[in-house]
Amino acid sequence: DVKVTQSSRYLVKRTGEKVFLECVQDMDHENMFWYRQDPGLGLRLIYFSYDVKMKEKGDIPEGYSVSREKKERFSLILESASTNQTSMYLCASSLDGLTEKLFFGSGTQLSVL
Amino acid sequence: QQQVKQSPQSLIVQKGGISIINCAYENTAFDYFPWYQQFPGKGPALLIAIRPDVSEKKEGRFTISFNKSAKQFSLHIMDSQPGDSATYFCAASLNNAGNMLTFGGGTRLMVKP
């Protein structure tokens, strides 16, 4: 079974800190995604990547950047964390651009104080 | 602007009852409609999906009903069980962009024993 692993289950950071969220998948998937999950808003796409060193903005990229130096690893970066970035962050992967099924990690609950 | 609207936000059903969650979409170019199931502490996982060329798809106790003219689709859970208690997300995607999903806001289902 595909495994998508997010490095932290819970994170507490201070306003203005630089925050790194890490995600690793073990099935050689081409596509990787970062979503944030907020009550009543569902899942909203922040960034995605379809290949190493490639990235595309999703629906809410402001305040975030990403890095994909290796195929299996996709990092989400908050350059200067703000309280409105307190949320559940979910990483996902899919085999390729034509494959519809997403595999999600268990999420990182980030609190920015 | 949320392109996929989901209702209700929360739902309580007695064991053995039918759970019904509804979604409405705006973009007529959507052509893939999955439902994801999320248990507490876990990431969402694909439950069932449908394309607009059929009006219904059934997998075990789970059925998707699709109404193309009304731009609506719904998830029916027959003989609901306490183990079905989870958050359910509907989603939609465009042709040839199947893994670029637009999610609904989610429904928190509780099945009482």
Side-chain angles (χ1 to χ4, degrees), chain A residues 9 31 33 35 37 40-43 45 48 90 94 96-97 99-102 104-106, chain B residues 2 9 32 36 38 41-44 46 51 89 96-101 103-106:
Chain A
R9 183 73 182 100
N31 289 20
F33 307 79
Y35 287 88
Q37 179 179 356
L41 297 178
L43 282 67
L45 182 63
F48 68 98
L90 289 164
S94 70
D96 54 39
T99 304
E100 293 145 340
K101 185 176 181 179
L102 295 184
F104 283 88
S106 295
Chain B
Q2 207 164 18
Q9 282 198 326
Y32 173 69
Y36 278 76
Q38 183 182 30
K42 302 290 186 184
L46 179 63
R51 296 196 183 279
F89 295 97
N96 294 326
N99 57 17
M100 298 303 300
L101 296 171
F103 284 88

Side-chain angles (χ1 to χ4, degrees), chain A residues 6-50:
Chain A
Q6 295 184 231
S7 55
S8 304
R9 183 73 182 100
Y10 299 98
L11 271 181
V12 180
K13 297 293 181 180
R14 297 228 174 257
T15 303
E17 278 192 77
K18 191 169 185 176
V19 181
F20 293 85
L21 302 183
E22 307 287 345
C23 175
V24 177
Q25 50 93 4
D26 67 356
M27 284 300 289
D28 203 34
H29 282 182
E30 290 185 2
N31 289 20
M32 297 188 75
F33 307 79
W34 276 105
Y35 287 88
R36 64 177 281 176
Q37 179 179 356
D38 299 289
L41 297 178
L43 282 67
R44 292 178 292 165
L45 182 63
I46 305 171
Y47 267 96
F48 68 98
S49 168
Y50 53 89

Side-chain angles (χ1 to χ4, degrees), chain B residues 2-22:
Chain B
Q2 207 164 18
Q3 291 195 56
V4 179
K5 294 185 179 179
Q6 185 171 344
S7 63
Q9 282 198 326
S10 62
L11 181 62
I12 300 174
V13 173
Q14 290 294 129
K15 179 183 175 181
I18 302 173
S19 304
I20 302 174
I21 305 171
N22 300 300

Side-chain angles (χ1 to χ4, degrees), chain B residues 25-41:
Chain B
Y25 62 96
E26 297 168 9
N27 190 339
T28 54
F30 285 146
D31 77 338
Y32 173 69
F33 302 89
W35 286 87
Y36 278 76
Q37 179 188 52
Q38 183 182 30
F39 293 107

